Amino acid sequence: MQKDTLVSGIYCIENLSTNKKYIGQSVNISERWKKHISELNSGLHHNDYLQKAWNKYGIENFKFYVLEYCPIDRLNEKEIYYIDYYDTLNRDKGYNLKSGGQDHNSYSTESRRKMSESVKKSYLNSNLKSIRSSDAINQWKNPKIKEKITGKNNGMYGRHHTEEAKKKIADAKIGKPSSRRNTTPVFCIELNKEFKDAAEAAKELSLDSSAILKVCRKQRKTCGGYTWEFLNIGK
């Protein structure tokens, strides 16, 4: 299958005020998003939990994006993996009502666990993660595919966050780490001290967290005169 025709994959609908997520799969992501919008705006969505959140926060507080493009025959295992990864069956974290995969009843709990673990191992034990990331970036650069999931197909097309909505989003994020934050524990050799992550170490020692991470990745020698390394890597 050519990359410019690949529109199947795993998507996420995220509440920007609470960071709760709904993970789904589709053979045509842009069409699936339009259906979600139609059902949610009409109050007819099958997921009552997501519907109530949509009614409460409004469309301007939700973001739709693609987690990974993948062939149709990989959709089930990928959906199971991402629902497990983001823990979206947990009501504190997400809106999913089932653990993923079409024909849910055909998968036992053990089978779903094995499928999720299999995908995790494929990412941990190879360069597959960087390959998928590169593929996603290339997909986004393709104007035909970008048009299918942006522009008028995007629920925020022609809309802007109100000042009130912006304030709600900002208030909800106070005290919460960014979803892009590297939360791997780090260790300062000279201080013989462990930190929860680079951001915490940087805050305590008035350093640059990105520089600490570069030392851990062997991209520079020191930060703040200290030598740093990741903890628990490979365990």
Side-chain angles (χ1 to χ4, degrees):
M1 179 179 291
Q2 297 296 317
K3 285 186 176 181
D4 61 357
T5 64
L6 185 61
V7 294
S8 59
I10 307 301
Y11 61 85
C12 177
I13 300 174
E14 181 175 353
N15 185 329
L16 297 176
S17 293
T18 64
N19 296 126
K20 291 183 180 181
K21 299 174 176 62
Y22 174 86
I23 307 298
Q25 64 162 281
S26 180
V27 297
N28 190 319
I29 292 177
S30 63
E31 289 301 316
R32 186 70 187 98
W33 173 228
K34 285 191 286 186
K35 185 176 181 181
H36 275 300
I37 287 287
S38 176
E39 292 177 351
L40 288 165
N41 284 341
S42 300
L44 300 174
H45 200 274
H46 69 279
N47 186 314
D48 185 59
Y49 191 56
L50 179 59
Q51 182 69 66
K52 288 179 179 178
W54 187 272
N55 295 344
K56 178 179 179 179
Y57 293 97
I59 186 175
E60 67 273 12
N61 282 308
F62 283 84
K63 177 183 179 181
F64 174 86
Y65 52 93
V66 178
L67 288 170
E68 182 177 341
Y69 290 101
C70 63
I72 294 174
D73 61 1
R74 301 292 304 281
L75 288 175
N76 283 344
E77 64 179 89
K78 292 290 186 180
E79 184 182 35
I80 290 171
Y81 166 72
Y82 280 108
I83 288 175
D84 176 65
Y85 180 80
Y86 287 108
D87 195 19
T88 55
L89 289 174
N90 182 336
R91 284 293 156 263
D92 292 328
K93 298 181 180 180
Y95 300 112
N96 284 93
L97 303 178
K98 298 181 179 181
S99 56
Q102 300 291 345
D103 298 321
H104 303 282
N105 293 332
S106 65
Y107 294 102
S108 67
T109 301
E110 181 64 14
S111 294
R112 289 194 293 268
R113 185 190 66 78
K114 288 181 178 180
M115 289 174 72
S116 179
E117 288 300 320
S118 175
V119 178
K120 287 179 183 178
K121 289 179 180 178
S122 70
Y123 278 88
L124 291 173
N125 300 329
S126 70
N127 63 344
L128 186 58
K129 185 174 182 178
S130 62
I131 292 174
R132 296 302 187 208
S133 176
S134 177
D135 285 345
I137 292 173
N138 290 332
Q139 291 281 350
W140 189 251
K141 289 180 179 179
N142 187 306
K144 292 182 180 179
I145 290 182
K146 186 174 182 179
E147 177 62 24
K148 289 181 178 180
I149 57 177
T150 57
K152 293 182 180 180
N153 292 322
N154 192 297
M156 283 298 293
Y157 180 76
R159 299 171 180 266
H160 301 281
H161 291 302
T162 64
E163 291 304 315
E164 182 181 1
K166 290 178 181 178
K167 185 177 185 305
K168 285 182 180 179
I169 294 171
D171 290 345
K173 290 184 177 181
I174 293 176
K176 294 182 178 180
S178 167
S179 59
R180 295 183 292 275
R181 175 170 165 177
N182 188 322
T183 56
T184 305
V186 298
F187 182 75
C188 179
I189 295 176
E190 288 77 8
L191 296 177
N192 191 32
K193 184 175 181 179
E194 176 183 344
F195 295 88
K196 183 174 66 175
D197 56 28
E200 183 184 78
K203 182 178 180 180
E204 182 172 325
L205 301 174
S206 299
L207 300 174
D208 182 352
S209 62
S210 63
I212 293 175
L213 291 172
K214 286 182 179 179
V215 176
C216 292
R217 294 170 181 145
K218 311 302 181 185
Q219 295 172 340
R220 59 182 289 172
K221 292 184 178 180
T222 63
C223 173
Y226 300 120
T227 308
W228 301 87
E229 60 184 25
F230 286 127
L231 289 179
N232 302 322
I233 295 298
K235 292 183 180 180

